[in-house]
Amino acid sequence: MNFQAALFAAGPFILVLLVISAVFSAAETALTRASRGRMHQLERDGDRAAGRVNRLLSDQETMIGAVLIGYNVLNILSSALATEFITQVVPGAWGVAIATGVMTVLVVVFVEVLPKTLAIVRADDVARGLSGPMLLVVRVLGPIIYAIQWIVRHTLRIFGVRLEMETDVLAAHEEIRGAVEYHHSEGLVESGDRRMLGGVLDLGELTVADVMAHRRQILMIDIDLPPGEIVSEALKSRYTRLPLYRGDPENVVGVLHAKDLARAIAAAGGTEGLDIAAIANEPWFVPETTHLKDQLNIFLKRRAHFALVVDEYGALQGLVTLEDILEEIVGEIEDEHDAAIEGVRAQADGSVIVDGDVAVRELNRALDWDLPDEHAVSIAGLVIHEAQTIPDVGQSFIFHDHRFQVLRRQRNQITSLRVTPLPRQIET
């Protein structure tokens, strides 16, 4: 066979194989980079192509296996044909070397770089456009793919690696959190949006004990006081809901709402003869182990804003409000009666005077710090946990890139600290 005849016979076939291989290459990149959120939204809007993409992504391992089988078979076949064709013109080792060089250039440029670059730039559009052919390929090659997966898993077991069919490499929450952190580091997500998105993800991990106001911080009123004194105490408070106790502060018998109290005073024409017990609402107790996501749903379902938190023995631990949970998402919600940052006072030298009962999460949110809150809720608890002792007044500790100095202490309780951020040490 002369050169012209060989070129006419093999050239178009090799070209077709390379074009199809380029399609597989583009599909692999586009389908793995496509936005799942956008695909789900488009499918809900009736986009069939997006629905096909979602079906492919639901079994990503099978999809990638089908693409790799098709891609490699086509490349090997086209390379073999090119070698056969060129060695007819240039026999021997030189022909093989020329065929290898030509096919390497064609595969790298036109099968790898060009289609993958297009797929990266227009991932969603390319994924939707190629979803139909890829779905067909997955169905045709399905038995082969499952056989390969079976071989791979049983081979890995020989080396002590167990990989189940349902294995999920990344948890959805961690994947979203990682994407938010990455885009924040790239400057595409603002700090406020990053904290808000992180707060939403944290709702399923935090409990009401992490955000509640401790019982030491609760303003409570003795229900057996004269009505006038109760009204006076309620007017002094900046809170609209106040727990009422009888005898012992642990014995909460009701919750007084300022609006209900105002209506009762208006109806009675004064404070004389007010029946505070009749005005008060029944207290609602929730376990301290309740997750914030569940508590938020319960608040919305009951149309309530306020709950008292108890431990496993029924002892009062604190209170949690709907506002406390929302603040985990949107940050501090302030009104005209709130202090800017209660218990936190910035100093001219860059340090911060902090009350010991201020929550670590609240301090992080207010000052954009990153102190750990896994082992302690309050800043005083964090210092005690890290120091492994109850420090004396004047003692200083350095951990987590901050200096903590104890300013005041009452018995075993740290009531005030000076916290100074230190320059971060660059690891070498």
Side-chain angles (χ1 to χ4, degrees):
M1 183 183 294
N2 58 31
F3 178 78
Q4 290 81 5
L7 178 62
F8 180 78
F13 191 52
I14 294 174
L15 181 61
V16 170
L17 291 176
L18 291 177
V19 169
I20 299 175
S21 181
V23 171
F24 276 100
S25 180
E28 178 191 9
T29 301
L31 287 169
T32 53
R33 291 181 64 93
S35 169
R36 293 196 179 190
R38 183 165 182 251
M39 291 300 110
H40 282 293
Q41 183 60 48
L42 289 173
E43 183 180 8
R44 284 195 293 268
D45 293 340
D47 191 309
R48 293 184 178 180
R52 291 194 296 268
V53 172
N54 288 330
R55 285 198 294 277
L56 288 168
L57 293 177
S58 65
D59 190 358
Q60 197 169 30
E61 185 179 1
T62 302
M63 180 269 294
I64 292 176
V67 171
L68 290 178
I69 290 174
Y71 173 82
N72 284 288
V73 168
L74 291 169
N75 283 349
I76 293 171
L77 180 58
S78 61
S79 297
L81 290 173
T83 302
E84 175 69 18
F85 161 66
I86 292 177
T87 52
Q88 291 182 16
V89 180
V90 184
W94 280 106
V96 175
I98 293 172
T100 301
V102 171
M103 288 305 297
T104 298
V105 172
L106 291 177
V107 169
V108 170
V109 176
F110 297 104
V111 178
E112 284 285 342
V113 177
L114 192 151
K116 287 182 182 294
T117 301
L118 175 62
I120 289 172
V121 174
R122 303 291 296 274
D124 290 352
D125 294 335
V126 173
R128 290 170 60 244
L130 298 179
S131 60
M134 288 303 106
L135 198 58
L136 178 61
V137 170
V138 169
R139 289 173 179 170
V140 172
L141 298 179
I144 300 175
I145 297 167
Y146 285 117
I148 293 173
Q149 290 173 349
W150 186 89
I151 294 172
V152 169
R153 284 182 168 81
H154 284 75
T155 302
L156 289 174
R157 280 186 185 176
I158 298 175
F159 301 97
V161 179
R162 291 187 173 272
L163 189 64
E164 301 299 331
M165 294 292 286
E166 298 80 10
T167 297
D168 188 8
V169 179
L170 287 176
H173 278 203
E174 293 307 315
E175 187 174 356
I176 295 171
R177 194 187 304 276
V180 171
E181 292 295 335
Y182 169 74
H183 288 298
H184 175 260
S185 66
E186 293 291 313
L188 301 176
V189 175
E190 296 182 358
S191 296
D193 294 335
R194 169 194 171 218
R195 286 193 295 270
M196 189 179 300
L197 293 168
V200 173
L201 297 174
D202 287 340
L203 291 186
E205 302 174 5
L206 298 173
T207 65
V208 294
D210 294 316
V211 302
M212 70 179 183
H214 192 269
R215 61 186 177 186
R216 292 178 179 273
Q217 300 171 298
I218 301 177
L219 177 59
M220 308 178 71
I221 301 177
D222 187 349
I223 196 172
D224 293 326
L225 290 174
E229 291 186 31
I230 293 178
V231 171
S232 177
E233 290 292 326
L235 291 175
K236 291 178 184 177
S237 171
R238 59 188 180 89
Y239 303 110
T240 56
R241 296 172 178 85
L242 298 167
L244 300 171
Y245 69 91
R246 174 170 282 121
D248 186 343
E250 290 280 342
N251 182 30
V252 178
V253 295
V255 177
L256 180 63
H257 195 295
K259 186 178 290 186
D260 295 334
L261 180 62
R263 288 198 189 102
I265 293 174
T271 60
E272 294 298 326
L274 279 180
D275 187 354
I276 299 298
I279 301 170
N281 299 309
E282 184 178 351
W284 175 29
F285 300 94
V286 298
E288 62 180 352
T289 54
T290 306
H291 286 94
L292 291 190
K293 182 179 179 181
D294 297 330
Q295 187 61 44
L296 176 61
N297 291 331
I298 297 172
F299 272 142
L300 296 176
K301 188 177 295 185
R302 292 186 53 147
R303 297 184 179 180
H305 292 227
F306 181 99
L308 295 163
V309 182
V310 295
D311 63 12
E312 59 182 316
Y313 303 106
L316 180 66
Q317 298 299 305
L319 65 82
V320 63
T321 66
L322 177 61
E323 182 177 314
D324 293 329
I325 300 178
L326 294 180
E327 285 181 342
E328 288 300 310
I329 303 173
V330 302
E332 198 69 22
I333 301 174
E334 299 176 0
D335 60 25
E336 62 273 19
H337 299 292
D338 284 340
I341 307 176
E342 189 174 0
V344 180
R345 298 169 293 282
Q347 305 299 302
D349 61 358
S351 65
V352 181
I353 305 297
V354 184
D355 290 350
D357 57 3
V358 171
V360 176
R361 290 182 60 82
E362 184 178 337
L363 195 62
N364 286 339
R365 206 164 45 228
L367 302 177
D368 199 20
W369 289 354
D370 194 26
L371 297 173
D373 58 357
E374 295 86 4
H375 303 290
V377 174
S378 68
I379 192 68
L382 175 64
V383 172
I384 292 173
H385 171 77
E386 294 291 342
Q388 295 296 302
T389 185
I390 302 176
D392 296 323
V393 174
Q395 279 191 277
S396 294
F397 304 90
I398 295 178
F399 45 80
H400 306 301
D401 298 317
H402 291 74
R403 177 183 286 109
F404 298 81
Q405 181 183 8
V406 178
L407 299 182
R408 288 199 308 273
R409 169 181 159 179
Q410 292 180 358
R411 292 189 174 180
N412 294 329
Q413 181 184 4
I414 300 174
T415 58
S416 181
L417 302 104
R418 181 188 297 273
V419 185
T420 307
L422 301 177
R424 286 186 176 271
Q425 299 294 324
I426 300 177
E427 295 183 2
T428 57

